Amino acid sequence: MKQFGWKADLRNPNLEIFIHLSDVYSVLGIPVFRVPLACRPYIKTPGLRSTIAWAMASLAEIKAGAVVLDPMCGLGTILLEAAKEWPDVYYVGADVSDSQLSGAYDNLKAAGLKDKIELLKVSVIELPLPSESVDIIISDIPFGKKFKLGKDIKRTVQEMERVLRVGGTMVLLLSEDHHGHLKGGEASSGPLASRGGRTGDPGGEERVTGAEKAAVSEPAPSSSAASSQERLATVPPLGSLVPVDCHRVSLGKTDALISKYMKSSSPGR
């Protein structure tokens, strides 16, 4: 501005330049559209950012005829983006929240996809599906606003692993805390929201899953239940899931990780 006398109109600029710097590389980008790419005219109630949802579905490498499950579908953004791009697939969405499922149905209806995606009201830790009956799982693991999922992420992923067929693919959007727990590390003991949870993230879904409710509201387990939980705790956090790929993404005020896994074998083999 001092050298050339240029003036910047921050409210209505002629050109926006995005620069991302890291210790290893830098990326410079210039948007080619005035309207953000994440603004989809067919989504009535925004949930997870559409571009993130599309990227997750793309990473899953969906094939025609596959059975695709989102066990914590929220407002259905991931399934909607996947069904738009890969239509010849059987999609199932599940969530424990009536309000989230209602919003998902409205979105699917507005997009003309209510007959392409089946919605179920179930808990992610008690999926009413046979073992190894799903080809692909894609899900946004909620970071939590009032409750933290914490180490119960392992129980959640183990149930997903149960219904995923051998050779199947799982793509998850994880917070750094969740990613650390799945790797076997210890995350901070404070609430996830204190580490930049989704509060304030435009288009971010904030919900409480069955797993989260179980983590904070279940009574003390009986001796038999405690024994079962102890056995569960001895299971490796990823079981037969083999990490394939991992990408860091920005959700506005916080970062997250898109992690891809493949199921290598059946339990006990």
Side-chain angles (χ1 to χ4, degrees), residues 4-230:
F4 297 102
W6 293 344
K7 294 183 179 180
D9 184 349
L10 300 181
R11 293 186 178 276
N12 187 31
N14 294 321
L15 179 66
E16 287 185 87
I17 299 176
F18 171 83
I19 301 176
H20 176 84
L21 302 175
S22 77
D23 294 335
V24 181
Y25 61 87
S26 62
V27 177
L28 185 146
I30 299 175
V32 295
F33 301 108
R34 278 291 182 184
V35 178
L37 190 60
C39 293
R40 307 292 211 237
Y42 48 79
I43 293 184
K44 184 176 179 180
T45 305
L48 175 67
R49 191 174 301 166
S50 298
T51 46
I52 299 294
W54 185 93
M56 294 174 67
S58 179
L59 194 62
E61 301 182 81
I62 300 172
K63 306 296 184 183
V67 177
V68 177
L69 168 69
D70 183 349
M72 289 178 284
C73 69
L75 295 170
T77 310
I78 293 175
L79 295 174
L80 197 156
E81 288 295 314
K84 278 283 188 181
E85 188 78 14
W86 298 274
D88 299 324
V89 175
Y90 181 65
Y91 293 99
V92 180
D95 206 285
V96 75
S97 167
D98 287 321
S99 61
Q100 292 291 314
L101 289 173
S102 177
Y105 180 82
D106 289 342
N107 279 338
L108 300 184
K109 185 178 179 180
L113 293 172
K114 63 183 181 68
D115 295 329
K116 295 285 296 182
I117 302 172
E118 183 175 356
L119 298 177
L120 305 174
K121 183 186 177 181
V122 296
S123 168
V124 64
I125 57 176
E126 296 178 343
L127 296 172
L129 299 171
S131 297
E132 301 184 12
S133 60
V134 174
D135 298 300
I136 294 172
I137 293 176
I138 314 173
S139 194
D140 167 18
I141 306 296
F143 296 0
K145 180 179 179 182
K146 296 181 179 179
F147 305 100
K148 66 174 183 177
L149 191 58
K151 296 180 181 179
D152 210 51
I153 179 67
K154 297 179 183 179
R155 183 181 178 188
T156 299
V157 172
Q158 284 163 11
E159 176 66 356
M160 294 184 194
E161 177 194 11
R162 180 187 69 80
V163 302
L164 186 66
R165 69 169 177 81
V166 175
T169 299
M170 183 184 299
V171 177
L172 304 177
L173 183 64
L174 302 166
S175 69
E176 292 194 24
D177 278 339
H178 290 157
H179 189 258
H181 284 313
L182 290 182
K183 289 176 63 178
E186 291 297 326
S188 65
S189 59
L192 292 181
S194 67
R195 295 192 58 185
R198 307 227 189 156
T199 306
D201 174 27
E205 294 185 21
E206 296 173 346
R207 59 189 185 275
V208 182
T209 65
E212 288 178 303
K213 290 181 178 178
V216 297
S217 61
E218 285 188 352
S222 63
S223 58
S224 60
S227 176
S228 175
Q229 290 180 2
E230 289 173 1

